[in-house]
Amino acid sequence: MLAANPNSSFIPLSQLKASNSKKLKIFSHFPPVYCPPQLRNVHFSFILSPNAVLRTPRTRKRRNRSSRGSRNSCNQFSIEASLAAEPGIQNEEAPQQSFAPYSIKIPVGDRHIFVETGHMGRQASGAVTVTDGETIIYTTVCLSDVPSEPSDFFPLSVNYQERFSAAGRTSGGFFKREGRTKDHEVLICRLIDRPLRPTMLKGFYHETQILSWVLSYDGLHPPDSLAVTAAGIAVALSEVPNSKAIAGVRIGLIGDKFVVNPTTKEMEDSKLDLLLAGTESAILMIEGYCNFLPEEKLLQAVEVGQDAVRVICKEVESLVKKCGKPKMLDAIKLPPLELYKHVEEIAGDELVEALQIKNKIPRRKALSSLEAKVLNILTEEGFVSKREAAVTTEILPDVLEDEEEDEEVVVDGEVDEGDVHIKPVPKKPTPLLIKVDVKLVFKEEVSSRFLRRRIVEGGKRSDGRTPEELRSINSRCGLLPRAHGSALLHVVKPRFGYLCLLADSLCFQLLDNLVDEDEFKRFYLQYSFPPSCVGEVGRAGAPSRREIGHGMLAERALEPILPSEDDFPYTVRVESTITESNGSSSMASVCGGCLALQDAGVPVKGSIAGIAMGMVLDTKEFGGDGTPLILSDITGGEDASGDMDFKVAGNDDGVTAFQMDIKVGGITLPVMQQALLQAREGRKHILAEMSKCFPPPSERLSKYAPIIHVMKVKPDKVNLIIGSGGKKVKSIIEESGVESIDTQDNGVVKITAKDLSSLEKSKAIISNLTMVPTVGDIFRNCEIKSVAPYGVFVEISPGREGLCHISELTASWLAKAEDAFKVGDRVDVKLIEINEKGQLRLSRRALLPEPNPEKPSTKLRSGNPTKESTDSQKAYEKSNKQKNTSSGPNSDVEVDNAEPPEDKSVEDKFVKRLVSSGKDTDKIRPKKNSSKPVDDISRKNESAVVNGDAKFG
């Protein structure tokens, strides 16, 4: 008799003692306080193995028994166990305990990653968490119980999700819950899928799903390369029959040193961004971007990455031996061997002739017709059976129950079914259709083998080219009149169309990702591949994962040649629309996108070209010497039947982007070196052909492109442009007719307009708002805003007024300002003083001609003229401060204390000294309400400020 701990859901069998022939009864007496109502009168029934544990019981309905007892009475639990041997303590020697956690540390670069399995996702076929710093990736692998219909591709789906909660924040967009997969997540899904697919064994048709989540992100250790490694470990631990474990690492080049899995801070100074995945002995996938890095440096980076992957894979294999599940090798169903022989005998010479057809569509139709012929012949001979696939019925798990108790119905939802220990039932595959086997053999094996044999033996490809030969290329620009730039690239028959659109900086793309938090993207290339470009019927709608991946590859390839935002303040969008395809449309997007940028007038730093390389690895099978055969500028058929798809973009100086996918067990560094060098020669040829484009790119901005002007003001003047609640900037946009005005905290103002006239109007208004006036500036046609007895207030710029004292209004003596001026009048004034408070003192008199130019007055008062002028100003100011504006004639006599002619001569002399520079009277400052349009003034190159020393913002 043993008492169970009420707070524990597990009872290790190491605590149970029993002989081989006896049944063990366990009774547990719970105190009333520890007995929840849902656990009263429940019955336990389990099948126990020597290494099993007792888990949460299976709940049953209550029985109507007289001996049920009171509510607070103890409940009895019974467990029957048949033990073959006395159980021992759990240890690492018992890999059949799937719930037991296992963890290892794997050295990667200058630190370790922590791998743990068995503590999360125990019901999945494989589950693992991988930790780097405080970044944690959780990945699971699950299989369908029944195999799907055989096809020419492995039924694998990958989903990767970055949750904002991993970084301790929520979404910045409208929806606060993660929804549709973002482009950034789609790219990582592709990074996970591409190296895994070549390791899957043929003939396994159980649908496989890989789910990966970022549970924690520290902002320092990127999750993408970690997700590739986590997926490879999860598949290795699962029942999926794959060939070898894979792992992925990132390589950066900081200075002259290669760094494995660099941090995000280190990547800011890196010249290379390379992500590599492979097995212990071969490379399966690479993808990277750099700034014209030579091929020799890339090979060194790949070698460093391969060494790091090799260390990880060795550690993973040791983990698989401890806790990995048996592989479902019995589920692999391959077509019978005699079927290959029958198909080859029937197809024979007709297949060779069909593969020699150069045009894609006729060749495809000929192969389809030949496939139907083979299928009909085999059906008539009785070799092919048209029977339907038998669907296996689901086998319910058999659970042994207590013989002493009656059968009861289990209440749904009371206890998790996953907590009941059940017998594992092996998954039984569904019989395959023989008809499908014929199609697979004809398409994937026989046709591919004939195509490869023709290339190796005859040295000629389907279109008659040699392995190193490229197709002829010609291009043209300026096709579409309204697009800011357009290009059409011809590669023999395939055609690819490209558009370049320019927009203002407000049209940037805001990335709200876990890694790229609030990143503003000012260049993006959008790639579309409609089914009509290959003559097929298919889905047309949202971009597929393939389209997103190809577009990003071309976009990253063109980024190094774009000008900086300071030199070209535009948001650039390139559309790549594939109209006909028979090859690498992503590399054609690089070539055509470069031409479209040039045609739009974008001042690119140079030209970029891309090329796709292929490979036939096992040449001995077809009479070769065993050396891998590298193919340049591969077609669609060579991509499908070959062993490699290696895309390289760059120019004569180096590489900007590269991507490699392998369909076999992997390649080595010498093979990659040969492919890179052959790709360099191909790029040079393509660049030479692009330079012959006719008509050539216009290399100037289209008249339909928006006009962007960048001006600099003082940062403290930005608020004057924006105004309260943005009212001022809205009024400027409405008044001038520009499209937008973007202000930044550092004082940069970007004005976007459709025409020069509206642009000049907005520039004048902003200049007047933010100008810093200096003494000596002259302002024309300024409006009088208010009139006071001692002078008038004149608006020299929007929101800026100055006082023109009554003594500075006219050359002759004036008793009252309102006698000669009224609100709304326009006058020309000159700035003669700025006091300590920033108040402006203006003078109209300084711009008036002298009354007696032949006999200038030489009578001057002693002292500084400026001081005398100030004293005169104060005298007039004092004399005109009257409480009653309607005073009588006696008041006028009291105001005039000084003799006007004498003051006039002094002021005339002072004016001559201020306007001694002749250039001051020639320039005109534009005004928003000026009778003369501002755009006419700007066309004559007339300055808005009279004095050339005037400063703005």
Side-chain angles (χ1 to χ4, degrees), residues 38 61 87 116 133 200 204 317 329 396 494 595 609 616 663 683 721 725 765 788 794 800 841 848 953:
Q38 64 269 25
K61 290 184 177 179
E116 191 170 9
M200 302 300 179
F204 186 75
E317 289 178 357
L329 298 176
L396 298 177
L595 291 175
V616 178
K663 301 176 184 178
R683 287 200 316 273
I721 304 174
I765 296 174
V794 182
R800 296 296 301 272
R841 181 166 174 258
L848 297 178

Side-chain angles (χ1 to χ4, degrees), residues 339 378 448 452 476 576 598 758 814 944:
L339 183 59
L378 293 177
S448 176
R452 295 153 66 93
R476 52 183 296 198
S576 173
Q598 294 173 350
S758 58
L814 184 64

